[in-house]
Amino acid sequence: MSDSQDRNPRFTPAAGYHFLTPFYDAGVAITTRERRWRGRLVELMAPAPDDIILDVGSGTGNLALAIARRGGGARYLGIDPDDAATRIAREKTARLSPQPDFRVGFFTAASIVGWPMPTKVTICLVLHQVGLAEKARLLREAWLCLAPGGQLYIADYGEQRSRLMRILFRLTIQQLDGRWLSTGAHRRSGI
Ligand SMILES: C[S@@+](CC[C@H](N)C(=O)[O-])C[C@H]1O[C@@H](n2cnc3c(N)ncnc32)[C@H](O)[C@@H]1O
């Protein structure tokens, strides 16, 4: 964890705390049946050779790997505010071809200048970590940067339909995520 992140946690890191980032991959694999839902997401996205896929909140690069495993030759671009997670993503995907491209930063249409216009944008396991205003902002920016006829794919936790599900979600995922809004305010996320 860098000092600046420690003093000013403006975003929730992948596993809730910066020191847990190296364990994010194992955690998400064990707790969310990741192979199943991520495989389904990539299937729905159906990457094609002329696709430019932008992954907002790309984390440790798991979606880049899943897209590469499926094949199809699409170009992958990932952006995430967390430099530690992005370092892991770059290491994990260093041998892939085509080579994924990662940037560190908060996503805005302006923050991806220099990259080609995405034909597909995905926001995967990010929206549950941010407040309502940030959810709306991310969706607006995705809309602004998509190529004409482009598509947006969102994957996240579903609604907790029963009281028990709600309690369990609060005791687990929301204990780690949703503690910080991206503005740095100490409030729970809106979901
Ligand atoms: C639970 S992880 C999901 C990572 C990856 N998308 C995946 O599917 O494994 C959430 C990621 O969202 C990033 N994040 C947090 N706040 C964000 C924001 N306001 N905008 C973009 N990304 C954000 C975090 O740094 C973290 O890497």
Side-chain angles (χ1 to χ4, degrees), residues 11-14 24 37-38 56-59 62 80-82 106 124-126 128-130 134 138 182:
F11 61 90
T12 302
Y24 171 75
W37 66 260
R38 209 182 280 283
V56 173
S58 43
N62 290 346
D80 195 289
D82 190 338
F106 280 93
C124 180
L125 294 186
V126 175
H128 75 279
Q129 289 198 337
V130 301
E134 181 66 356
L138 288 172
S182 296

Side-chain angles (χ1 to χ4, degrees), residues 31-45:
T31 59
T32 70
R33 291 186 295 176
E34 184 185 17
R35 260 177 186 276
R36 190 166 163 191
W37 66 260
R38 209 182 280 283
R40 180 83 182 111
L41 171 64
V42 175
E43 208 177 286
L44 282 171
M45 291 174 72

Side-chain angles (χ1 to χ4, degrees), residues 5-17:
Q5 283 174 336
D6 211 3
R7 281 194 302 270
N8 184 18
R10 292 167 303 147
F11 61 90
T12 302
Y17 295 89

Side-chain angles (χ1 to χ4, degrees), residues 100-111:
D101 205 348
F102 293 96
R103 262 183 206 176
V104 176
F106 280 93
F107 166 61
T108 63
S111 70

